[in-house]
């Protein structure tokens, strides 16, 4: 399709010098098992030596999506789509006509859930996927997180594990401490616990960079579009396509448009616009009176613990663990930490803005004297570059995630406790389960219902367990039964009770060793990591040749030609005029804004 182009009143962007690596540069996919050598035995390096900045910084596009002048949302959609298909067929032959029959999938949210969803869909044979992200510039890179073996298994199936492990830590032990310093419990984790895949502690920015790079390599540069905020979703009756209202920002220029994707996936977090549209009476996520602080510290390896620790009582908590190994290019290690305590106990009262930068001194005094087997929490905090404060919010589990052709994944569906170390894990597994359901069920509405039937119990079970303190209940029990401390934990919380707490939590999310070690249940027959599924594309589209691993699935043309795999049909950041989509139309003009023609 060669649509009419309009060069906008903003200058084109400078050429993008941060192109994805060539297909040959991608790390090969290697199965991982307990026999794999511990990466801590050798040096590690971040690929290319890049800094841990925000992965979306280099993804800002200067093109936005214009539509037909004077059109209204949804006007002549079918006619426009038919015209597009005819033009594609005339220019590109039968393969282009086949592509026009493939479903357009819009993923809202460019975080871990959204990016993994795009990769999982691509691996399952979907080649027309667009990920939109509201952020347009630098955002806080965040802190560290844990990926449990079930999530690592799914990322391995997507061919990403080697890239992730290039700058991550295989966590082998988790220790729980009473705030007085006494050890409450210790658990072997990952490979040391008999799992076939490791538990990884990783910096959030590194994980997001790995995911974003893979999205661009496999689905094309135009797949990930920033500066696009969803302002509303109009639910349609039956299985009609949802109508998504979006706002584009490109410098000082703003446009308001509508899209009608075949599938809409809300991966936009605890404050999800898609969730709000599906459940308009739910309102803002309520705060529960706790504040959370997160940060990353650069530590001498000799002062950083070789394990993950969780310590505290019924009011305060600290989670500390390394997320990198020492290496020649970075002799210090990155140690991530998260702290929580009641807001009313903080000296400086504040409303607790979302993701607010604060000085470490704001809360440091509340953790003086917290030391656990040589790990000093105050020492870790003093080595931090900075800190971010969050109000701890909560959501009741939803009775329904999917409505017609729209569904939710990750925190948008089931927000996780930010100290529970499993939010990213659930997002990854959700993404793979959703893609699998869409690949094996020809009808998209039935596919979303099947996805929800499997994942909603698995997602809400751990959420309820989080409220019951999950595996960390052992710390609270120890404090409740021995607030002044103890000599022998077996006299306070017997071993069998400690083991039962951990096993019960693992079973609620199907993350127990026996279940995980059975292998991924979400592999689509005929697929390979990094390549879409072989055979006919989903939903009755004719078969087309599958690209080689690492190449854009929808066949991006040369710079300046439309990229038909994206709802936005974006081409490149530096080659105007920018492509347009027959599925996007402006819907209204607002005083003080420039709506693109």
């Amino acid at each position: 399709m060669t649509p009419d182009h309009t060069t906008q009143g903003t200058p084109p962007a400078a050429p993008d010098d941060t192109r994805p690596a060539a297909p040959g540069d991608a790390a090969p996919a290697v199965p991982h098992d307990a026999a794999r050598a511990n990466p801590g035995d050798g040096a590690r390096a971040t690929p290319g030596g890049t800094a841990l900045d925000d992965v979306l910084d280099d993804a800002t596009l200067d093109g936005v999506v214009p539509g037909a002048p004077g059109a209204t949302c949804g006007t002549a959609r079918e006619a426009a789509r038919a015209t597009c298909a005819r033009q594609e067929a005339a220019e590109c032959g039968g393969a282009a006509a086949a592509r026009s029959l493939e479903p357009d999938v819009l993923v809202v949210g460019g975080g871990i859930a959204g990016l993994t969803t795009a990769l999982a869909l691509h691996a399952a044979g979907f080649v027309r996927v667009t990920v939109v992200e509201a952020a347009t510039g630098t955002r806080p890179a965040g802190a560290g997180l844990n990926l449990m073996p079930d999530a690592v298994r799914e990322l391995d199936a997507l061919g990403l594990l080697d890239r992730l492990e290039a700058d991550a830590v295989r966590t082998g032990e988790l220790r729980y401490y009473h705030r007085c310093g006494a050890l409450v419990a210790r658990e072997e984790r990952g490979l040391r616990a008999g799992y076939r895949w490791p538990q990884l502690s990783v910096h959030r920015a590194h994980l997001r960079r790995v995911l974003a790079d893979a999205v661009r390599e496999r689905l094309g540069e135009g797949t990930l579009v920033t500066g696009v905020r969803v302002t509303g979703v109009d639910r349609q009756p039956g299985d009609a396509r949802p109508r998504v209202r979006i706002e584009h920002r490109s410098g000082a220029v703003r446009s308001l448009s509508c899209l009608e994707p075949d599938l809409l996936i809300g991966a936009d977090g605890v404050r999800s616009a898609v969730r709000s549209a599906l459940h308009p009476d739910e309102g803002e996520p309520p705060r529960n009176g706790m504040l959370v602080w997160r940060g990353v510290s650069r530590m001498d390896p000799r002062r950083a613990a070789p394990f993950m620790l969780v310590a505290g009582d019924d009011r305060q908590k600290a989670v500390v663990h390394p997320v990198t190994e020492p290496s020649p290019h970075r002799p210090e290690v990155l140690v991530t930490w998260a702290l929580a305590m009641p807001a009313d106990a903080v000296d400086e009262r504040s409303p607790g803005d979302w993701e607010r930068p604060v000085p470490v001194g704001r809360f440091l005094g509340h953790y003086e004297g917290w030391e656990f087997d040589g790990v000093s929490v105050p020492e870790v905090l003093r080595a931090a570059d900075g800190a971010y404060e969050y109000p701890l919010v909560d959501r009741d589990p939803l009775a329904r995630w999917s409505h017609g052709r729209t569904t939710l994944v990750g925190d948008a569906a089931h927000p996780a406790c930010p100290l529970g170390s499993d939010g990213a894990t659930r997002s990854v597994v959700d993404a793979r389960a959703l893609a699998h359901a869409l690949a094996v069920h020809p009808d998209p509405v039935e596919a979303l219902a099947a996805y929800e039937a499997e994942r909603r119990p698995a997602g809400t079970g751990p959420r309820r367990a989080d409220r019951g303190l999950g595996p960390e209940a052992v710390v609270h029990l120890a404090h409740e039964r021995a607030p002044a401390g103890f000599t022998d934990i077996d006299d306070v919380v017997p071993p069998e009770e400690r083991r039962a707490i951990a096993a019960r939590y693992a079973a609620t999310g199907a993350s127990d060793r026996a279940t995980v070690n059975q292998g991924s249940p979400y592999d689509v027959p005929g697929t390979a990591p990094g390549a879409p599924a072989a055979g006919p594309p989903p939903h009755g589209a004719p078969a087309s040749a599958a690209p080689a691993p690492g190449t854009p699935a929808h066949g991006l043309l040369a710079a300046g030609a439309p990229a038909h795999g994206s709802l936005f049909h974006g081409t490149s950041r530096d080659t105007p005029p920018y492509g347009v989509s027959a599925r996007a139309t402006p819907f209204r003009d607002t005083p003080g804004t420039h709506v693109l023609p």
Side-chain angles (χ1 to χ4, degrees), residues 59-210:
T60 305
L61 301 182
D62 295 283
V64 291
V65 185
T72 58
C73 183
T75 299
R77 177 185 55 76
E78 294 298 341
R81 194 178 189 190
T83 301
C84 179
R86 286 195 298 271
Q87 290 176 336
E88 283 187 351
E91 294 180 14
C92 306
R99 282 199 301 272
S100 70
L101 298 177
E102 294 166 359
D104 279 312
V105 184
L106 180 62
V107 180
V108 180
I112 294 168
L115 296 172
T116 309
T117 297
L119 292 170
L121 288 168
H122 170 266
F126 292 82
V127 295
R128 298 178 66 95
V129 180
T130 304
V131 181
V132 295
E133 167 59 43
T136 57
T138 302
R139 297 185 300 168
L145 53 83
N146 271 273
L147 292 169
M148 300 299 143
D150 47 338
V152 176
R153 176 191 67 189
E154 301 307 327
L155 292 170
D156 189 18
L158 292 174
L160 300 175
L161 186 49
D162 289 313
R163 295 191 189 189
L164 280 175
E165 287 204 290
D167 212 28
V169 171
R170 285 185 173 184
T171 299
E173 185 180 32
L174 170 60
R175 299 184 186 181
Y176 297 101
Y177 291 92
H178 191 284
R179 68 168 295 160
C180 71
L183 180 67
V184 174
R186 61 199 306 166
E187 298 175 5
E188 292 188 327
R189 310 291 285 188
L191 298 178
R192 284 175 55 180
Y195 284 88
R196 291 174 54 196
W197 288 268
Q199 174 177 324
L200 293 182
S201 293
V202 60
H203 196 294
R204 181 179 295 272
H206 173 59
L207 172 58
R208 292 182 66 197
R209 177 178 291 106
V210 167

Side-chain angles (χ1 to χ4, degrees), residues 122-495:
H122 170 266
F126 292 82
V127 295
R128 298 178 66 95
V129 180
T130 304
V131 181
V132 295
E133 167 59 43
T136 57
T138 302
R139 297 185 300 168
L145 53 83
N146 271 273
L147 292 169
M148 300 299 143
D150 47 338
V152 176
R153 176 191 67 189
E154 301 307 327
L155 292 170
D156 189 18
L158 292 174
L160 300 175
L161 186 49
D162 289 313
R163 295 191 189 189
L164 280 175
E165 287 204 290
D167 212 28
V169 171
R170 285 185 173 184
T171 299
E173 185 180 32
L174 170 60
R175 299 184 186 181
Y176 297 101
Y177 291 92
H178 191 284
R179 68 168 295 160
C180 71
L183 180 67
V184 174
R186 61 199 306 166
E187 298 175 5
E188 292 188 327
R189 310 291 285 188
L191 298 178
R192 284 175 55 180
Y195 284 88
R196 291 174 54 196
W197 288 268
Q199 174 177 324
L200 293 182
S201 293
V202 60
H203 196 294
R204 181 179 295 272
H206 173 59
L207 172 58
R208 292 182 66 197
R209 177 178 291 106
V210 167
L211 295 173
D213 286 350
V215 166
R216 296 188 187 110
E217 291 167 10
R218 298 176 186 182
L219 285 93
E221 286 283 345
T223 300
L224 178 57
V225 187
T226 61
V228 177
R229 184 172 65 91
V230 170
T231 60
V233 178
D234 298 328
R235 289 168 48 188
Q236 304 298 319
D239 65 349
R241 295 177 180 87
R243 183 174 298 165
V244 186
R245 285 170 279 139
I246 52 179
E247 177 186 272
H248 317 256
R249 288 191 181 274
S250 180
V253 177
R254 182 166 70 126
S255 69
L256 303 170
S257 306
C258 270
L259 290 174
E260 288 190 0
D262 297 295
L263 291 165
L264 174 64
I265 300 170
D268 45 344
V270 68
R271 291 184 165 183
S272 168
V274 179
R275 175 170 174 150
S276 295
L278 298 180
H279 302 275
D281 298 330
E282 191 175 37
E284 282 285 304
R287 300 177 182 182
N288 69 0
M290 298 287 288
L291 288 180
V292 175
W293 299 278
R294 289 181 181 274
V296 175
S297 301
R298 300 178 186 273
M299 304 284 295
D300 184 313
R302 294 168 296 182
R303 300 298 300 160
F307 51 83
M308 177 179 178
L309 73 84
V310 176
D313 56 24
D314 60 342
R315 286 178 62 82
Q316 285 183 258
K317 185 181 294 185
V319 179
V320 181
H321 58 93
V323 293
T324 65
E325 302 277 4
S327 65
H329 81 279
R330 189 181 57 220
E332 76 276 11
V333 298
L334 299 182
V335 176
T336 189
W337 46 267
L339 313 173
M341 64 183 299
D344 60 11
V346 180
D347 294 336
E348 294 181 45
R349 295 294 300 277
S350 76
D353 296 330
W354 192 263
E355 202 172 62
R356 184 171 75 108
V358 296
V360 171
R362 169 169 165 76
F363 49 85
L364 176 60
H366 296 281
Y367 291 88
E368 291 290 355
W370 283 45
E371 185 167 337
F372 310 97
D373 285 339
V375 179
S376 168
V377 173
E379 180 184 357
V380 172
L381 298 181
R382 291 187 180 99
D385 296 330
Y388 285 87
E389 180 179 276
Y390 309 78
L392 194 58
V393 299
D394 201 358
R395 288 276 200 199
D396 288 329
L398 291 173
R400 184 177 182 184
W401 292 357
S402 304
H403 296 263
R405 293 170 177 257
T406 301
T407 197
L408 305 170
V409 296
D411 280 351
H414 44 76
C417 173
L419 299 178
S421 299
D422 59 357
T425 292
R426 295 184 212 169
S427 295
V428 169
V429 179
D430 281 355
R432 286 275 288 166
L434 173 60
H436 180 266
L438 287 166
V440 301
H441 293 274
D443 181 80
V445 178
E446 292 179 2
L448 297 189
Y451 152 72
E452 179 178 336
E454 178 193 352
R455 287 301 299 164
R456 190 162 58 82
T460 57
R463 184 69 192 96
R464 292 189 177 98
D466 283 345
R467 287 177 168 176
L469 306 177
E472 295 159 23
V474 67
V475 173
H476 293 253
L477 283 176
H479 178 264
E480 178 183 280
R481 297 174 185 178
F486 51 85
T487 302
D488 188 344
I489 185 59
D490 290 352
D491 296 332
V492 181
V493 186

